[in-house]
């Protein structure tokens, strides 16, 4: 995503610089993805970070998903949010 205004979000004020770099990289790469590729891309990126011993809190993941979903149409965004809620509920079990 070329619009980096999200980096001014107050929620990022106390984030680890390494995590911020990863978030920035993910957001930039997401700009090249079509809407069908965003969720699998996000899940893959989170798994790669976990493999490196880097985990993101729920608010950090939520912020990243909001960034990735900025380019989605309202109905696509609603579908993505539903899928994310379902995946989160499944993950908690």
């Amino acid at each position: 995503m070329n619009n980096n205004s999200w980096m001014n979000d107050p929620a990022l004020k106390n984030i680890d610089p390494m995590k911020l770099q990863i978030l920035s990289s993910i957001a930039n790469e997401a700009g090249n993805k079509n809407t069908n590729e965003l969720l699998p891309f996000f899940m893959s990126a989170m798994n790669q970070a976990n493999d490196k011993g880097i985990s993101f809190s729920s608010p950090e993941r939520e912020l990243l998903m909001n960034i990735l979903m900025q380019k989605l149409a309202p109905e696509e965004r609603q579908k993505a949010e539903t899928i994310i809620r379902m995946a989160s509920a499944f993950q908690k079990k």
Side-chain angles (χ1 to χ4, degrees):
M1 306 213 142
N2 294 332
N3 181 357
N4 287 332
S5 63
W6 63 270
M7 293 185 79
N8 297 323
D9 190 306
L12 297 173
K13 184 173 74 171
N14 296 320
I15 194 169
D16 178 282
M18 180 180 272
K19 286 184 178 182
L20 187 56
Q21 181 180 357
I22 291 170
L23 290 174
S24 180
S25 175
I26 291 170
N28 286 331
E29 288 182 48
N32 299 322
K33 307 290 180 201
N34 67 42
T35 55
N36 293 328
E37 296 172 314
L38 282 177
L39 188 58
F41 168 74
F42 172 73
M43 299 304 290
S44 174
M46 291 294 100
N47 287 334
Q48 288 176 12
N50 286 337
D51 290 346
K52 294 177 182 175
I54 300 168
S55 62
F56 292 89
S57 66
S58 291
E60 290 167 343
R61 285 190 304 270
E62 186 176 322
L63 177 62
L64 182 57
M65 283 308 298
N66 286 334
I67 293 165
L68 296 177
M69 291 191 298
Q70 285 178 355
K71 73 176 194 175
L72 298 180
E75 63 274 0
E76 292 173 321
R77 184 181 192 117
Q78 187 174 11
K79 276 194 253 181
E81 288 171 347
T82 300
I83 291 168
I84 292 165
R85 280 193 303 272
M86 290 171 50
S88 294
F90 180 73
Q91 211 172 29
K92 290 177 184 176
K93 290 185 178 187

